[in-house]
Structures are given as C-alpha cells and as structure tokens.
Amino acid sequence: MDQETTSTTVLDPKTTKRKYPEARIIVLDDNFNTFEHVANCLVAIIPGMSEKRSWLLAVEVDREGLAEVWRGPLEQAELYHQQLISKGLTMAPIEKT
C-alpha cells in the first residue's frame, strides 16, 4: 500500500483536550486529633508536604474549622483521602474541582 492511500485519523480537539478530573482534599476540625497527629499524618501521606507546612495546615484546621491540604488528580485524591481517614483524621467528602 503506498502512502498516498493510507488514511489518517484526526482526533476531535474537544475530546483530546478534556481535562482529567481534579479534586480537593479537606481536613476538618474535631475534638480528638492533636495538632501533632494531624501534622504527622499530612507529612506521612501527602507527597512533598514539609513539616512546616503540615503544622501551618494543622493550625488552620483548628482556627478555621477546615483546611485544604492537597489538590490534584481525582485518582490520587481518593488514595490520600482514604489514607488520611485510616489514620483517624476527620475529612470532608472529596470535592471535585
């Protein structure tokens, strides 16, 4: 078959540019988890989380009642969310963005 007769498929730009679903992970304040426990869980589970940032987020959870601790692809969000729940943190449902 020569190259002139070979057909080429052009993908519809609307389908190729569709964004992968993103989500937010939000930790809620409660009366039983300590600052230290929240901060330690964040450092252990969320990739790239520094100790300093984890403590700032723990303070924000206490002060504001909640804090967004991670945002990114939905599949990863589901994993981190479940791991944080398994450590006893009080979590808001995953928010798709």
Side-chain angles (χ1 to χ4, degrees), residues 45 79-92:
I45 293 167
L79 174 66
Y80 303 150
H81 188 264
Q82 192 54 50
Q83 289 174 326
L84 291 168
I85 287 172
S86 74
K87 295 287 189 184
L89 269 55
T90 303
M91 305 295 297

Side-chain angles (χ1 to χ4, degrees), residues 12 17 28 57 60 63 66 75 78 83 87 89:
D12 183 347
K17 296 221 175 168
L28 301 174
L57 288 167
E60 184 178 336
R63 191 181 62 234
L66 58 87
E75 196 172 325
E78 289 169 343
Q83 289 174 326
K87 295 287 189 184
L89 269 55

Side-chain angles (χ1 to χ4, degrees), residues 1-7:
M1 189 179 243
D2 78 28
Q3 292 206 316
E4 252 84 72
T5 58
T6 307
S7 67

Side-chain angles (χ1 to χ4, degrees), residues 26-30 32-33 84 88-92:
I26 297 169
V27 176
L28 301 174
D29 191 23
D30 57 40
F32 46 88
N33 283 305
L84 291 168
L89 269 55
T90 303
M91 305 295 297

